[in-house]
Amino acid sequence: MHCAVQFYGSVIPALLRGATGAYVLPGVDKWKRPTKPIEVYDIQASPYCRKVREATTLLDVDVLFYPCPKNGTVWRPKAQEVSPDKKQQFPLMHDPNSGKTLQESDEIVKYLFNEYGDGKVPLLLRLGPLTTLSTISGQLIGRGFSGAKVRPNTQPKEPLEIWGYEASPFCLQVREVLTELEVPHIYHSCARNSPKRPGFEAKWGVGQYPYIEDPNTKIAMFETPEILKYLNETYGKK
């Protein structure tokens, strides 16, 4: 019963967003690709951060996420240092490929489409208050405050790596825990039509997401319940 509630609650945010974050835009394989992952200081439960994550999914751009939940002490101070205004305001994006640092979600989305797309921001990401309302509603109705507040944690020496996509209810549950535990992670976006999918599926024989690799313990695994158990036992303090 608990698993069913978790699943259906995780589906609601994607449904209210019209499945934005479930697919990659046509032509992405012809657009400029970042050499290094974009760096984003992010809160999983934030509606403004979700807009940026949807944009990176549509553009098939990999991201190094630094989770900054409420009362977090690991990455929030770093975000304040990086911020142009020296504020703890999220999302915050730094592109190591261009040196650009931005803090407002709409400005970040516009930059990403200009730099790594065709310059055209999709309708569902440029509806202003309606975009924000749909992201807030999806989070509150489906997930409440999961992925918003910090939990006691132990930090890895190196970022974890995860393969998934924004609209997946299973990936959402994993990212909530990563955020609450402030675990940095490189997110390899593999939404529908992603050029990365064929290589991933050829390597592992399945198109199943999320999948994680932890370079600190040499652990690699599929299956959301197993991943959640591993993260909580490895990086959550008892």
Side-chain angles (χ1 to χ4, degrees), residues 72-115:
T73 59
V74 178
W75 299 112
R76 278 182 170 251
K78 178 64 175 178
Q80 189 168 349
E81 290 179 18
V82 173
S83 165
D85 300 324
K86 304 305 176 187
K87 295 179 180 178
Q88 290 190 11
Q89 179 180 318
F90 308 99
L92 168 67
M93 181 216 73
H94 173 69
D95 186 348
N97 304 282
S98 67
K100 193 77 171 178
T101 302
L102 294 169
Q103 202 143 22
E104 295 291 340
S105 59
D106 288 337
E107 290 301 312
I108 295 172
V109 169
K110 183 179 178 181
Y111 167 82
L112 290 171
F113 277 93
N114 284 333
E115 191 74 9

Side-chain angles (χ1 to χ4, degrees), residues 129-146:
L130 289 178
T131 298
T132 303
L133 178 61
S134 63
T135 54
I136 290 174
S137 300
Q139 175 66 31
L140 291 179
I141 296 171
R143 304 303 298 161
F145 294 102
S146 296

Side-chain angles (χ1 to χ4, degrees), residues 10-38:
S10 301
V11 168
I12 290 173
L15 290 178
L16 289 181
R17 290 294 300 137
T20 304
Y23 57 90
V24 169
L25 291 174
V28 73
D29 55 334
K30 299 180 179 65
W31 297 335
K32 177 182 175 183
R33 301 289 81 192
T35 304
K36 299 176 182 178
I38 308 299

